Amino acid sequence: MAAVATRLQQPEPKNAMASAPPPTTPRKPLPLLLLSLSLPFLLLLLSLVFLLSHTTFSLLLCPLLPRPNATTTMTTSAAAAAPPPTLDSSMDKSLRSFHASPPPPPLPLSPPPPSASAVKSSKKKALTKRNKTLLKQLLAETPRTRRFAARAAELFASTPRRPCTRRFFMTWLSPLDRFGRRELLVVESLFASHRDACLLIASDAMDSRGGGERLAPFLDRGLRVAAASPDLSYLLSDTPAEAWLAAARHGGVAPGSVPLGQNLSNLLRLALLYKYGGVYLDADVVVLRPFPGILRNAIGAQAVDAATGDWIRLNNAVMVFDRGHPLLREFIAEFAARFDGSKWGHNGPYLVSRVVRRRRPEEADNLTVLPPPAFYPVDWNKIGGLFVAPKDRKGERWVKAKVERIKGESFGIHLWNRESRSLEMEEGSVIGRLFSDSCLFCNSSMFANHE
């Protein structure tokens, strides 16, 4: 009963849940709360960036990418039925096209500069071609060449009023404009020492109105000089080179690469001396004093052996021979038999050196070999110093001594035009003083201006 009374005294709650105290929820930390709230915004921002990057690529870069040639074309109806391409598919196509297209061709490289041997070979071919053309021109027979024999006979005919005591010859197979001041001074030097001499210049270029104007001052003074186009058929008739000339005219001789004028001049000077006899001079040999009458059948040595005094090489820039001399015939035969148009000097100085060297001792009495000072007192590699005027007293003394020595030992001096053509002759130089002492029309215009 007591228990019943106790339960009666304790009334039951109407709602246990209502009577129980509410549970307390723990609070989240503030950083996590902010992160959870900003995450959706970050995702949205990344989506916008992605879309913008795709749009930029499509609008700016895609038009610059190479487009492959389409192998098939879509018809208008199929293109209208196809769904519009999305941005992703357009970009994928552009990327695939970019990687599938071939790389652009490399830029062309500039050609390497030609080697020295290639340049030399090219020049050699050009000279050979030019020589073939010149050979036809120089060997052609013309009305002027047919008058050669008559003009030579007229020049060499002596009269009491106009004697021809000695015959001189020059050849000029270069253009007319190259027969300039220096060559005219050489002609002056010849007549300054040989007033009664005759000079025949075998030259097609000088046998012209321009050549006549250059020689007019000499003719006005009564000097005997003439230029005539050479008749090689006449000059080489009954010589060992007659067959060579016929072959050359029919293309049977290779002219080579050495300037043709030089090679033909080597033959022409021999033919002139063989036909007429006399003195041959290169157009760059200054005559310094008269050639004595006893100077016959002579040729000058260019170099000698210092130990023995024997000559090493002869030169054909100056030759003195009687008409029909047998050695001249040997020279002509050597030219025809061993002509080589591509070796410098082979048909000139080396030719006369070869022939004279193989002669028998008993034949030596028919030839006089003059020492180098006679015509070659200065070698080709030292000629440049003789064109320069002295700069001080020491140089003045050297020039004076050099001039006196050359004039005392030499009949003439070879200027080696191949080496010195580009040099100007300065007043007061060795060459200037030699010309001044050997001129006919002496004036200051013969010298180059210098300070």
Side-chain angles (χ1 to χ4, degrees), residues 10 56 120 163 291 403:
Q10 296 178 354
T56 303
K120 184 178 181 180
F291 292 4
V403 169

Side-chain angles (χ1 to χ4, degrees), residues 144 151 172 175-177 179 184 187 201 203-219 225-228:
R144 286 190 299 178
R151 297 191 63 186
W172 189 260
L176 177 63
D177 58 1
F179 197 94
L184 291 171
V187 176
I201 304 175
S203 169
D204 185 67
M206 288 291 291
D207 188 7
S208 63
R209 178 180 297 179
E213 292 173 353
R214 284 167 168 77
L215 299 179
F218 300 94
L219 298 173
V225 55

Side-chain angles (χ1 to χ4, degrees), residues 301-313 370-372:
Q302 178 181 333
V304 296
D305 188 319
T308 64
D310 296 333
W311 63 267
I312 299 174
R313 182 183 305 163
L370 300 173

Side-chain angles (χ1 to χ4, degrees), residues 7-47:
R7 285 194 300 268
L8 293 173
Q9 292 176 356
Q10 296 178 354
E12 294 181 2
K14 297 180 179 179
N15 190 349
M17 293 295 294
S19 61
T24 60
T25 58
R27 295 182 178 180
K28 295 182 180 181
L30 183 59
L32 292 176
L33 180 60
L34 293 176
L35 180 61
S36 62
L37 293 176
S38 61
L39 184 59
F41 294 97
L42 289 175
L43 293 175
L44 180 60
L45 182 60
L46 289 174
S47 299

